[in-house]
Amino acid sequence: MLREIISKFYRPPSKIKTDVQLVCPPYVDRYKGKDFLVLGSGPSLEEYQGQVQKFIDQHQPIVMGCNFLNEMFIPDYHGFVNRQMFNSYAETIHSDSKILLSPYFPDYMMKKKIKRGYEIIPFVNIYPSEKGSVCIQDGIIHAQGATVGTILISTAIVMGAQNIFVAGVDGYLKNKKTHFYQESFDKSYEELVALDKAALELLECCQNCLKEYSRGDLIITTPTAHEPFYQSIEKYLN
């Protein structure tokens, strides 16, 4: 009898937070005029690890990483916007890295995985989406089709980035693998084409945001399917 009563009224914790109120983040223009480096998860990040670390050492950018970095780099910020990725890799966050999290992660999940301070990335994102777009209003990111990489690029803009360099954003059709680590990503060829198209549109929007704020450029420094943004990392190494 007691079990029946409990089962009738028990509701499991929600997997996402639904009562989210987005507000302007405290990190607006925190690094105004500084260059940023955003690390993706493509195979090129591992292949060019040495060159990327040399770039960091020489240029001292604000480094933003996401999901799993396999201890290759110690970013200034480690971000998650996907619940599954957060559950899998939260324990890999380096103690010297600040933490950026989705506002839609439920509190119980964050308390379970994180035992120190973190900041919230205020964003709205329609995903998946055939169209890629992003705009920023009062520090809040409004996007369609964005992945963690483009959310972090947008966050760098909010933080005041002058130029944004990117490594490991290869595009979904550039390699047989989509990540440098083993990760299930079961998509058809047509779906991958659509994702690459949306990603390019997102990058174009981010570049336009930089121009709108009279800042610098968005540059992908490792081999990528997004050719308009590619400049070899060797160009920036002494």
Side-chain angles (χ1 to χ4, degrees):
M1 182 67 177
L2 180 59
R3 183 177 296 176
E4 291 177 359
I5 294 173
I6 292 173
S7 64
K8 183 177 180 180
F9 291 100
Y10 173 72
R11 294 293 181 270
S14 174
K15 292 184 177 180
I16 61 170
K17 189 186 291 184
T18 55
D19 57 340
V20 174
Q21 293 186 335
L22 301 179
V23 297
C24 182
Y27 52 68
V28 172
D29 285 343
R30 180 177 288 172
Y31 303 103
K32 189 172 183 179
K34 288 277 293 181
D35 288 345
F36 277 66
L37 172 65
V38 175
L39 306 174
S41 300
S44 69
L45 187 68
E46 186 174 57
E47 182 180 351
Y48 285 78
Q49 178 184 355
Q51 293 96 319
V52 173
Q53 186 59 59
K54 188 175 180 181
F55 178 93
I56 294 170
D57 294 340
Q58 290 184 1
H59 296 278
Q60 299 292 305
I62 304 299
V63 182
M64 307 181 93
C66 65
N67 299 340
F68 183 52
L69 292 170
N70 200 27
E71 300 182 348
M72 290 191 296
F73 305 98
I74 302 175
D76 297 290
Y77 289 89
H78 198 141
F80 294 88
V81 300
N82 178 281
R83 181 170 41 86
Q84 181 179 337
M85 291 291 187
F86 180 64
N87 266 326
S88 297
Y89 302 119
E91 286 83 0
T92 70
I93 300 172
H94 195 278
S95 59
D96 290 340
S97 299
K98 299 180 179 69
I99 303 170
L100 296 170
L101 299 178
S102 165
Y104 305 104
F105 291 167
D107 292 336
Y108 75 87
M109 179 187 297
M110 293 189 287
K111 288 178 182 177
K112 178 181 178 182
K113 294 288 184 178
I114 300 296
K115 306 301 181 185
R116 56 189 174 99
Y118 57 85
E119 291 183 293
I120 293 295
I121 305 174
F123 72 90
V124 179
N125 184 32
I126 299 171
Y127 187 90
S129 173
E130 293 182 0
K131 178 180 175 59
S133 68
V134 64
C135 68
I136 299 168
Q137 298 176 332
D138 297 323
I140 299 172
I141 299 163
H142 301 263
Q144 287 181 261
T147 60
V148 62
T150 41
I151 292 292
L152 287 183
I153 290 170
S154 302
T155 303
I157 295 172
V158 175
M159 288 186 173
Q162 181 65 25
N163 297 291
I164 301 175
F165 296 90
V166 181
V169 174
D170 302 357
Y172 295 104
L173 296 173
K174 182 70 176 176
N175 305 289
K176 291 181 180 179
K177 293 171 58 180
T178 55
H179 298 72
F180 72 83
Y181 53 93
Q182 188 65 38
E183 188 65 50
S184 175
F185 198 75
D186 187 19
K187 302 286 185 183
S188 69
Y189 176 79
E190 290 74 19
E191 288 174 314
L192 294 176
V193 169
L195 286 170
D196 263 356
K197 177 178 177 294
L200 182 59
E201 291 170 347
L202 280 156
L203 292 168
E204 290 169 348
C205 287
C206 289
Q207 176 69 86
N208 290 338
C209 284
L210 285 170
K211 296 303 182 186
E212 181 182 337
Y213 297 137
S214 300
R215 301 193 196 159
D217 292 311
L218 175 61
I219 300 161
I220 301 178
T221 61
T222 52
T224 177
H226 309 306
E227 290 290 343
F229 293 93
Y230 176 60
Q231 294 183 32
S232 172
I233 195 168
E234 299 294 342
K235 176 180 177 181
Y236 296 94
L237 300 179
N238 297 326

